[in-house]
Amino acid sequence: MALNLDSIGKKIGPLTKEYGWKDVILYALGVGAGFDELEYCYENRLKVIPSFAIAAIFDFLAQAGLTSNVNLAGVLHGEQDLIFHNPIPPEGKLITEGAITHMYDKGKEKGALVIAEGDTYHSNGQKLFTNILTIFGRLDGGFGGPESPKETVEFPDRPPDFEEIAYPSENQPLIYRLSGDIFALHVDPDFAKASGFEKPIMHGLCTHGYACRAVIKHLFPGEPERMTRFRNRFSRTLYPGAPIKTQIWKIEEGKALFRTLNADTGDVAIDRGIAEWVSKAELEKRSKGGWIRFDDRVAIVTGAGGGLGKAYALELAERGAKVVVNDLGGARDGTGAGTSMADAVVAEIKAAGGEAVANYDSVSTPEGGDAIVKAAVDAFGRVDILINNAGILRDKSLIKMEPSEWDAIMAVHLNGAYNVTRPAFIKMREQGYGRIIMTTSAAGLYGNFGQCNYSAAKMALIGMVNTLKAEGEKHNIKVNAIAPVAATRLTDDILPPDLQDKLKPEFVTPLVLYLCSDKCPVTGAVYNSGMGCYNKAEVITGPGVTLGSADKLPTPEEVAAHMDGIKSLQGAKLYANATAAVGALFDAVAAGPTQATPAPPAAEQKPQLTVQGVFDNIGNAFRSDKAAGVDVVFQFKISGPTGGDWHVIVKDQKCQVSSGAHAKPTTTIVMGDEDFVAMIGGKLNAMQAYTSGKLKIEGDLMKSQLIEKLFKF
Ligand code: NAI
């Protein structure tokens, strides 16, 4: 049997475990808690000992061992690192997912290390803790893998600041095993002897729980929820009943080193211990911020020197993210540059206790994009979140818009998003995690007079989102777009000043932060957001009609005749990608031509009649059965903004309409455009129109009466 090297990176879980107050108390009793730490043992004021985090997900440890195919005859729990994101509630369901991340070779006689990492969430949605565990396979060395990185913990050269002695009972493993680790080595004397021990031994994780209690008791008594990290190496086994001593060195505020030893022999059972914790104030701040947190996440916000970007950066930092505040510091139209805008936001974040660095590069060049991402990696080592937010305006109607104004907008909004997203995406792929936001606009989604450069750039970003959602999918990179509405310097002459308060950028922030969080399941979506209203925008596709065939191309006239069906959105669908949309087209063609134009849906309003529409549709309105023997040319002269000249020739029971004047019309109808539309639409009686002077007839008056008979609109 050899280690399964292919198991590296393979997902373990989700593994779920329901637990209640009795499980929490049973664990506490298993690791020696009692009346003097009643907060761990009494359901009325119950707190969870943080080391419960590994006992509660023992299945994950077991799965990691099985998946890696480590030789169980030589397996030991080598090291354990617990990182706490939120206090563990006293009941609920734990959901754990992770993977084996590394396998290291210590040499043929020395064994191998299998490292697995899992994140555990509570059923209330909160991320509770991350477990990084090392399984030591004594019999698996020499497989040719990489050497393990050398790490060591130097204890200070002075007596410990605190010592705690505990006297576990001879029966301690019998209680502890009820929390999940029922391995026979800790209960069965015969099994223990066969394994080379005098009698059953203590669980390493039981001693670990004693150590955890000792650290809390001396450093932040009664407040286990303040612990943020508990890391150690398991070095020797202990027999139950041996007194254990935990030695603690506080090396700085929020950090201590510890080890636990057999108080009789001095043998170290738990070594290289590191404990970290936060102050009460920090804990309160974290819990005030809600459960969507960004601790250990690194975010880049472009254009974060003011407006929306500043609001995002402040809230991300408030919730634990390390933020790169990028801003060119120029004017609203993108001219000029400066450092003060980004610096001011960084100062504000730092003053509130957050972490941030400033960056002043322009998003509009590939070099700028690279430098922005490099700033994040240099300062914080990774990039988890990118909000493409930088923006400028150069509004002009198309005719007045110079190429420079078109190019400037493309450079910042469209090229800017490409320039920063590409290097960030490379990092995110390496990490297997990323959240990207594109900032689009209602001007792009729906159009806005005088902004064709801006609308085009903003809509192009939706195209990027549609494709990047596919490219990021298997790397856990989610890409979404938001169209904000907020009062900023960009909109100060567009949005009504009396609505400034309602239009605060902070109303947009919650959706953006949700989309940036690890709780976000969405990718490829577009949302509008402003004043507390959030909704989704989509491209949907109607069922349409199919016309013609391979040997008979459809004509424009057929298209005209089927316009109702072509434009109908009844039964419209969303397509996940271009392949699905084009596939639907193939399916429709395979089903054959549409027989008749589907009736417009009941809810759909009848299209408004226009003068042009009347003449476009005259072929459909013509009743050839009433036209036997008729030979006439009707000339229409319609005045008004939507008017014009058309003539209609009726001959041989056929009708032909053309625009312009006929040389020899039989009858000429002269009318204003609104009256003409009203008359055709049945709202104005023809006789009344004639007698009131709204309808003038020139030429053959009698023939004009044929119109009513020959056309049914
Ligand atoms: P803003 O003008 O307050 O913020 C934009 C920031 O981007 C500025 O601080 C500016 O210095 C920075 N910037 C400009 N060019 C840059 C470059 N080349 N490199 C780095 N930074 C640069 O405006 P606002 O409203 O906060 O805009 C943020 C984003 O939201 C923009 O993309 C904008 O188009 C978009 N938007 C805003 C709407 C609103 O109602 N405020 C509506 C729709 C979209």
Side-chain angles (χ1 to χ4, degrees):
M1 278 216 302
L3 285 175
N4 174 12
L5 302 181
D6 290 340
S7 63
I8 298 176
K10 290 246 168 73
K11 200 166 112 177
I12 300 175
L15 304 171
T16 56
K17 183 185 167 74
E18 306 257 4
Y19 71 107
W21 62 270
K22 287 187 184 169
D23 300 297
V24 171
I25 294 177
L26 183 62
Y27 171 78
L29 297 175
V31 299
F35 275 108
D36 52 353
E37 287 159 320
L38 209 52
E39 66 272 21
Y40 300 144
C41 305
Y42 182 28
E43 66 276 18
N44 279 0
R45 60 184 81 149
L46 196 57
K47 293 190 173 186
V48 180
I49 304 173
S51 49
F52 177 72
I54 175 66
I57 62 142
F58 191 72
D59 287 358
F60 181 77
L61 176 66
Q63 277 281 329
L66 292 173
T67 313
S68 66
N69 211 27
V70 62
N71 187 338
L72 294 179
V75 75
L76 288 172
H77 191 168
E79 290 184 20
Q80 179 61 46
D81 193 359
L82 280 167
I83 297 151
F84 302 99
H85 309 289
N86 283 292
I88 306 171
E91 60 185 12
K93 186 160 90 178
L94 300 175
I95 303 125
T96 303
E97 227 177 276
I100 292 173
T101 54
H102 302 88
M103 287 189 186
Y104 296 117
D105 194 357
K106 291 171 82 70
K108 184 129 188 66
E109 304 302 322
K110 293 186 175 160
L113 300 179
V114 175
I115 320 287
E117 182 169 336
D119 286 323
T120 300
Y121 289 84
H122 191 265
S123 39
N124 69 10
Q126 275 188 316
K127 185 172 176 179
L128 294 186
F129 46 83
T130 301
N131 251 295
I132 305 168
L133 48 93
T134 305
I135 299 171
F136 178 36
R138 278 184 297 160
L139 309 175
D140 291 291
F143 68 94
E147 273 184 42
S148 57
K150 298 272 173 286
E151 274 181 83
T152 185
V153 169
E154 295 284 344
F155 289 103
D157 190 15
R158 60 176 152 94
D161 301 322
F162 309 98
E163 278 191 340
E164 177 70 16
I165 297 207
Y167 300 92
S169 144
E170 295 269 1
N171 300 320
Q172 205 67 43
L174 300 180
I175 308 174
Y176 182 80
R177 65 192 296 270
L178 300 179
S179 288
D181 182 354
I182 55 167
F183 191 30
L185 184 59
H186 308 290
V187 60
D188 186 333
D190 296 334
F191 187 97
K193 283 206 180 86
S195 308
F197 295 99
E198 274 171 38
K199 57 180 182 176
I201 57 170
M202 284 278 277
H203 299 73
L205 280 175
C206 177
T207 314
H208 177 258
Y210 273 86
C212 188
R213 279 180 40 235
V215 165
I216 294 168
K217 180 174 171 184
H218 289 281
L219 296 166
F220 37 101
E223 295 174 333
E225 63 278 11
R226 286 172 58 192
M227 184 171 266
T228 52
R229 188 168 198 190
F230 196 66
R231 180 180 174 176
N232 68 288
R233 166 178 283 196
F234 297 98
S235 42
R236 269 181 186 244
T237 53
L238 288 171
Y239 286 117
I244 53 177
K245 179 158 60 177
T246 298
Q247 300 180 317
I248 303 163
W249 290 263
K250 183 172 173 182
I251 52 168
E252 60 190 64
E253 194 48 53
K255 188 166 184 179
L257 304 180
F258 68 92
R259 68 181 167 216
T260 301
L261 31 100
N262 182 329
D264 285 343
T265 63
D267 289 341
V268 177
I270 288 188
D271 204 1
R272 301 192 186 181
I274 301 174
E276 290 172 5
W277 66 97
V278 288
S279 66
K280 237 177 164 164
E282 172 66 20
L283 187 71
E284 267 163 32
K285 204 175 104 189
R286 286 185 179 201
S287 57
K288 241 197 322 196
W291 52 264
I292 294 205
R293 297 279 317 166
F294 298 91
D295 306 291
D296 305 321
R297 296 285 180 213
V298 176
I300 296 174
V301 185
T302 69
L308 286 154
K310 175 179 173 183
Y312 306 152
L314 292 179
E315 190 62 21
L316 279 165
E318 173 74 24
R319 287 172 178 258
K322 298 169 177 137
V323 185
V324 174
V325 176
N326 157 265
D327 206 291
L328 177 67
R332 189 174 105 137
D333 65 359
T335 52
T339 56
S340 58
M341 289 177 76
D343 285 346
V345 176
V346 169
E348 199 171 329
I349 290 175
K350 287 189 170 164
E355 278 188 76
V357 292
N359 170 280
Y360 321 108
D361 286 293
S362 171
V363 299
S364 62
T365 65
E367 296 74 28
D370 285 343
I372 293 167
V373 173
K374 187 170 179 300
V377 176
D378 286 352
F380 307 123
R382 52 189 285 133
V383 184
D384 299 290
I385 295 163
L386 167 62
I387 304 179
N388 286 301
N389 167 79
I392 59 168
L393 283 181
R394 300 272 175 107
D395 293 355
K396 291 271 172 70
S397 60
L398 176 66
I399 289 174
K400 294 184 190 140
M401 187 175 293
E402 298 296 330
S404 62
E405 287 151 346
W406 175 271
D407 290 344
I409 289 293
M410 291 297 155
V412 175
H413 291 276
L414 179 55
N415 299 355
Y418 161 79
N419 292 332
V420 192
T421 302
R422 185 165 176 260
F425 206 89
I426 292 170
K427 281 264 107 341
M428 289 174 179
R429 246 175 61 137
E430 283 166 20
Q431 296 162 186
Y433 182 89
R435 298 287 182 264
I436 298 173
I437 304 290
M438 301 288 179
T439 308
T440 182
S441 163
L445 295 176
Y446 313 108
N448 199 24
F449 191 95
Q451 290 197 307
C452 75
N453 51 354
Y454 183 74
S455 308
K458 288 301 198 189
M459 201 58 189
L461 296 172
I462 304 297
M464 250 179 114
V465 168
N466 287 339
T467 289
L468 294 188
K469 76 176 175 201
E471 296 186 10
E473 199 170 14
K474 72 170 191 269
H475 307 288
N476 192 14
I477 302 174
K478 302 207 189 304
V479 191
N480 293 291
I482 62 130
V485 178
T488 65
R489 74 170 186 180
L490 220 55
T491 52
D492 64 0
D493 54 353
I494 303 169
L495 293 171
D498 49 327
L499 286 181
Q500 294 287 317
D501 239 26
K502 286 207 124 197
L503 282 161
K504 280 202 285 243
E506 286 76 7
F507 277 112
V508 178
T509 311
L511 175 65
V512 172
L513 259 72
Y514 172 71
L515 294 172
C516 287
S517 74
D518 54 12
K519 302 306 300 165
C520 170
V522 179
T523 190
V526 183
Y527 296 99
N528 289 294
S529 166
M531 295 177 283
C533 178
Y534 310 96
N535 62 33
K536 188 172 191 219
E538 273 288 3
V539 174
I540 56 171
T541 307
V545 301
T546 306
L547 304 174
S549 61
D551 46 9
K552 185 187 166 298
L553 289 176
T555 63
E557 289 75 9
E558 278 177 278
V559 167
H562 285 83
M563 265 326 279
D564 281 346
I566 293 172
K567 70 185 187 205
S568 169
L569 288 176
Q570 205 180 31
K573 287 196 177 137
L574 288 174
Y575 291 108
N577 50 43
T579 313
V582 176
L585 223 56
F586 277 103
D587 291 346
V589 171
T594 308
Q595 293 309 317
T597 306
E604 203 173 288
Q605 284 197 341
K606 251 187 133 184
Q608 249 199 323
L609 207 55
T610 60
V611 177
Q612 179 71 53
V614 169
F615 290 102
D616 286 346
N617 238 331
I618 217 155
N620 291 336
F622 179 59
R623 300 159 80 187
S624 59
D625 55 324
K626 306 281 181 196
V630 176
D631 182 356
V632 58
V633 177
F634 297 114
Q635 176 68 53
F636 294 87
K637 289 188 169 176
I638 312 297
S639 57
T642 64
D645 288 357
W646 286 265
H647 59 269
V648 179
I649 302 168
V650 179
K651 199 177 174 186
D652 302 329
Q653 289 190 283
K654 288 202 178 85
C655 154
Q656 190 198 326
V657 61
S658 313
S659 59
H662 190 276
K664 280 195 183 154
T666 320
T667 299
T668 300
I669 311 291
V670 183
M671 274 191 107
D673 52 2
E674 283 178 15
D675 293 334
F676 178 73
V677 166
M679 189 178 78
I680 297 293
K683 289 188 187 139
L684 174 64
N685 177 282
M687 186 53 76
Q688 226 181 355
Y690 184 64
T691 52
S692 64
K694 290 180 173 171
L695 163 61
K696 292 196 179 75
I697 300 171
E698 294 165 8
D700 191 335
L701 187 64
M702 295 309 286
K703 290 270 170 64
S704 74
Q705 293 181 10
L706 281 172
I707 295 179
E708 221 171 6
K709 191 174 124 192
L710 290 173
F711 301 97
K712 185 111 188 114
F713 286 96

